[in-house]
Amino acid sequence: MSENKKLWSGRFEKTTDEMINAFQASIDFDKRMYHEDIEGSIAHARMLATQKIISDDDCSKIVEGLKKILAQIENGEFNFDIALEDIHMNIEKALTDDIGEAGGRLHTARSRNDQVALDTHLYIRRQVVEVQKLIVAVEKTLVKAAEKYRSVIMPGYTHLQRAQPILFAHHLLAYFSMLERDFERFSGVYQRADIMPLGAGALAGTTFPIDRQQVAKTLNFKKIYSNSLDAVSDRDYILEFMSAASILMVHLSRFSEELIFWCSREFSFIELDDAHCTGSSMMPQKKNPDVPELVRGKTGRVIGHLMALLTTVKALPLAYNKDLQEDKEGVFDTIDTIKFSLAVYAQIIEGLKVKEDNMMKAVEEDFSNATDLADYLVKKNLPFREAHAISGKIVHDCIARNIYIKDMKIDDFKKYSDLFDEDVKEAIKPETCVANRNSLGGTSYRQVEKQIVNARELIVKQENLIKKGQ
Ligand code: ARG
C-alpha cells in the first residue's frame, strides 16, 4: 500500500482503510481530464510566477515537468495510482517526485475544489464543440436526404393515423429543426461553462495576491466566477449539458421510433442499409433495426444521468461536498453516448433507402386528401364547417362502397354538392394537396425548397461559430 503517498497525510495517525481508498478514489474515471488538469496547472503556475508568488525558476521546472507528464500519459507510460485518489493528486505527486521542491509549490493558492471545477469547465467546454460538430454532420445528412427525395410524397400522421399528404423531405427537415435547437442549446451550455472558477480556493478565496484575469485570459475564458462559494459548488453547467443531451436524445429516439416502424413489413416505407442492421440467430428471415433501437434505448440512460445529478445536487449545502464527485461518471457516459449516437445516426440516414411507391400507395389508398376535398368547396365559397361535413359524408360513403375519393365519378360528387366540378379530380391528387400547402413552413414543394436553402445557410453559420469559437 502506498499510503505514504497521500499528499494530505500530515494530520492523520492512521493510514486510510484499503476499501475506503477504493470507494472514494475517482482516478479510474477522472483521468480522462488529464489534459485539462495539466493545462490548468500550467496556467496557474505561470500566474503564480507573474505575481511573484513563486520564482520564475520554479515555474519553468513546473511547466517542463508537467509537459513531461502529459507526454507520458499520452504515450501510455504513466502509472495511475488509486491511493492518490484522483487525477489532480496523481499528477502533482508525479511532478514532485520528478522535480522536487518546486513541485510542492504548484498547489499554492489553489485547492482541489477549484482545480476540479476548472478541469471540468475546460472539459465540458471542449466536449460541447465536439458534440456540435457531430450535430452538424447529422444535419448535413438530413439535408442531403431531403434534397435527394425532394418530391417523394408520404402520408403525414396525427395519432399515428394517416392525416394529410406531405413531402418526405418535409418530415426529415422537421428533425433538422430539432437539431438546430439542440445546437443552440449546446451553445448556451458553452456560455455557462465558459466561466473561470480557479482562485476560489477551497471555498473562500486565497490570502495570496493572485491574478484571476491572467488565468482566465490564458485559458480563454470569457468570464470569471464572482463568488468563490458559487465557483466551487456550481454544477449547473453540467446539469445543462445533460439536459441538452437528454433533449437531443429524445429527438433521436423519436426519429428512431419512426425508422423502426417505417422499416417494418407493415409500413415498408424505407429500408436501412444491410451494413447497419443485424440478423437473428434463430429466424433466418430477420433484418433488425438494432441501431435505432439502441439509440432509443440509450435515451433512457442519458435521461437517467440527468436525474441522478439533479438528485445529487438537490439540497446539497455550500460549498464543496464529496457528493459532487458523482457528477463525473454520468456526464462522461452522457458525452460518450451522445457522440456515438450522433455518429451512427449520420451513417444511418446516409444509408437510408426510400420505397417511394409504398409511401405513395399509403397516400392513394386512403383518405388523407379529405381536408383538400373540403378546402375545394371552401374555395367555392362554402363555409368550412359545411364543407367538412360534406367531405366527411363522402369519406363515410366511400368506406361503405369500398372505394377511395379518387375513384368517384363527377356525377357522384354532384350528389353531395353542385359546387363540385371536373377540377375536383385535380384538386384531390396527392401532388396538388402537397403543392397547395404553401403557407410559410408548410409542406409545399416551394416551402420545402426554401427550408433546404435556409438549412444550408444555417449549417455554414454553425460551422463558422465552431471555427471561431462561440
Ligand atoms: N476528486 C474530487 C472530485 O471529483 C476532487 C475534489 C476533491 N476535493 C476534496 N476536498 N476532497 O470532486
Side-chain angles (χ1 to χ4, degrees):
M1 180 73 246
S2 43
E3 199 48 47
N4 56 352
K5 285 185 183 169
K6 294 278 193 213
L7 299 179
W8 41 250
S9 59
R11 65 97 64 221
F12 287 79
E13 284 183 5
K14 278 191 179 177
T15 57
T16 319
D17 178 272
E18 192 110 4
M19 191 160 80
I20 302 300
N21 241 343
F23 184 68
Q24 65 148 353
S26 54
I27 186 63
D28 280 349
F29 45 88
D30 65 17
K31 64 180 172 210
R32 72 154 88 186
M33 300 196 302
Y34 71 89
H35 197 283
E36 288 72 18
D37 197 71
I38 289 174
E39 209 183 340
S41 286
I42 291 178
H44 180 64
R46 291 207 164 119
M47 179 279 290
L48 291 177
T50 316
Q51 296 301 102
K52 309 255 177 279
I53 300 169
I54 63 170
S55 70
D56 287 339
D57 190 39
D58 281 348
C59 176
S60 308
K61 282 189 196 143
I62 290 172
V63 173
E64 284 323 298
L66 286 171
K67 285 185 178 164
K68 212 160 103 188
I69 293 173
L70 180 66
Q72 281 167 358
I73 297 177
E74 282 178 343
N75 296 331
E77 290 158 5
F78 190 89
N79 249 342
F80 293 103
D81 186 348
I82 199 166
L84 290 165
E85 290 183 30
D86 51 30
I87 187 65
H88 326 296
M89 293 206 291
N90 267 271
I91 291 176
E92 193 188 324
K93 179 74 167 59
L95 180 71
T96 312
D97 286 350
D98 183 28
I99 66 169
E101 211 181 88
R105 296 189 198 281
L106 169 63
H107 211 53
T108 315
R110 186 175 75 169
S111 154
R112 270 187 298 155
N113 298 351
D114 56 346
Q115 186 180 359
V116 73
L118 176 66
D119 293 5
T120 318
H121 278 77
L122 288 168
Y123 190 80
I124 295 283
R125 209 176 57 168
R126 196 162 275 157
Q127 290 302 325
V128 162
V129 180
E130 295 310 307
V131 171
Q132 286 184 315
K133 284 183 193 161
L134 288 161
I135 290 177
V136 172
V138 177
E139 286 176 348
K140 280 184 179 169
T141 59
L142 280 171
V143 177
K144 218 168 120 191
E147 279 169 339
K148 182 167 168 195
Y149 300 114
R150 61 197 341 142
S151 54
V152 173
I153 296 176
M154 70 180 284
Y157 291 80
T158 63
H159 312 271
L160 207 51
Q161 307 285 318
R162 291 169 195 166
Q164 291 173 347
I166 58 168
L167 288 179
F168 177 62
H170 194 52
H171 198 112
L172 290 177
L173 291 169
Y175 285 101
F176 181 95
S177 295
M178 294 177 222
L179 289 173
E180 174 183 348
R181 289 193 296 275
D182 290 323
F183 186 99
E184 279 179 20
R185 259 185 287 275
F186 278 105
S187 290
V189 178
Y190 188 98
Q191 281 172 38
R192 248 85 60 203
D194 200 12
I195 314 177
M196 212 286 293
L198 205 73
L203 74 163
T206 169
T207 55
F208 294 94
I210 56 168
D211 181 0
R212 299 183 72 200
Q213 261 87 16
Q214 181 184 328
V215 178
K217 212 169 152 222
T218 311
L219 298 172
N220 202 20
F221 276 102
K222 265 214 186 80
K223 292 199 227 160
I224 298 174
Y225 277 91
S226 55
N227 181 302
S228 62
L229 293 171
D230 183 43
V232 289
S233 312
D234 176 26
R235 296 296 182 272
D236 292 1
Y237 64 104
I238 304 183
L239 288 169
E240 281 188 58
F241 183 97
M242 289 171 145
S243 130
S246 297
I247 298 173
L248 165 73
M249 286 303 282
V250 163
H251 293 153
L252 294 185
S253 80
R254 295 178 80 168
F255 198 14
S256 296
E257 175 74 10
E258 298 196 311
L259 293 178
I260 291 162
F261 61 66
W262 284 349
C263 69
S264 74
R265 184 93 174 139
E266 282 71 10
F267 270 83
S268 285
F269 279 3
I270 59 158
E271 193 175 344
L272 298 178
D273 198 288
D274 270 7
H276 303 149
C277 294
T278 61
S280 154
S281 56
M282 187 188 199
M283 300 164 281
Q285 83 285 10
K286 293 294 284 295
K287 177 174 162 184
N288 296 327
D290 299 52
V291 174
E293 287 174 279
L294 261 178
V295 170
R296 189 177 57 180
K298 285 176 191 292
T299 305
R301 168 169 163 174
V302 170
I303 295 171
H305 291 318
L306 169 64
M307 292 307 132
L309 187 61
L310 279 170
T311 315
T312 298
V313 177
K314 175 190 169 291
L316 200 66
L318 301 182
Y320 180 83
N321 300 272
K322 190 81 168 207
D323 312 43
L324 290 174
Q325 181 169 285
E326 286 296 307
D327 60 358
K328 287 177 203 61
E329 284 156 293
V331 77
F332 292 160
D333 186 62
T334 300
I335 290 166
D336 295 344
T337 306
I338 61 172
K339 281 165 78 177
F340 214 166
S341 300
L342 285 165
V344 295
Y345 239 86
Q347 284 207 31
I348 287 282
I349 300 165
E350 192 87 46
L352 195 108
K353 274 185 222 70
V354 169
K355 298 180 174 173
E356 296 181 30
D357 296 349
N358 290 346
M359 285 187 176
M360 192 51 138
K361 209 165 155 229
V363 171
E364 288 197 314
E365 297 181 0
D366 211 330
F367 296 94
S368 55
N369 53 2
T371 314
D372 300 83
L373 187 65
D375 286 355
Y376 169 89
L377 293 172
V378 172
K379 281 166 195 158
K380 303 218 167 177
N381 215 20
L382 198 67
F384 179 73
R385 273 292 146 240
E386 283 175 47
H388 184 285
I390 291 173
S391 179
K393 179 82 178 95
I394 290 175
V395 171
H396 172 271
D397 294 349
C398 281
I399 291 170
R401 292 168 61 194
N402 206 14
I403 60 167
Y404 300 108
I405 305 176
K406 69 176 166 53
D407 303 324
M408 283 175 47
K409 302 270 170 306
I410 188 67
D411 292 341
D412 291 339
F413 281 111
K414 285 200 182 287
K415 283 180 205 143
Y416 296 90
S417 164
D418 39 357
L419 291 172
F420 282 119
D421 242 317
E422 282 297 338
D423 56 351
V424 68
K425 287 283 192 189
E426 187 60 35
I428 58 166
K429 280 191 183 150
E431 292 81 357
T432 318
C433 300
V434 165
N436 281 348
R437 286 205 163 69
N438 196 31
S439 52
L440 185 70
T443 194
S444 73
Y445 300 95
R446 272 177 54 198
Q447 292 297 327
V448 169
E449 282 309 316
K450 273 193 203 163
Q451 282 187 64
I452 290 174
V453 172
N454 291 342
R456 287 246 173 256
E457 277 172 19
L458 183 80
I459 286 173
V460 173
K461 280 192 197 139
Q462 290 173 331
E463 285 183 323
N464 284 336
L465 203 66
I466 289 171
K467 236 181 274 158
K468 74 170 176 41
Q470 311 280 320

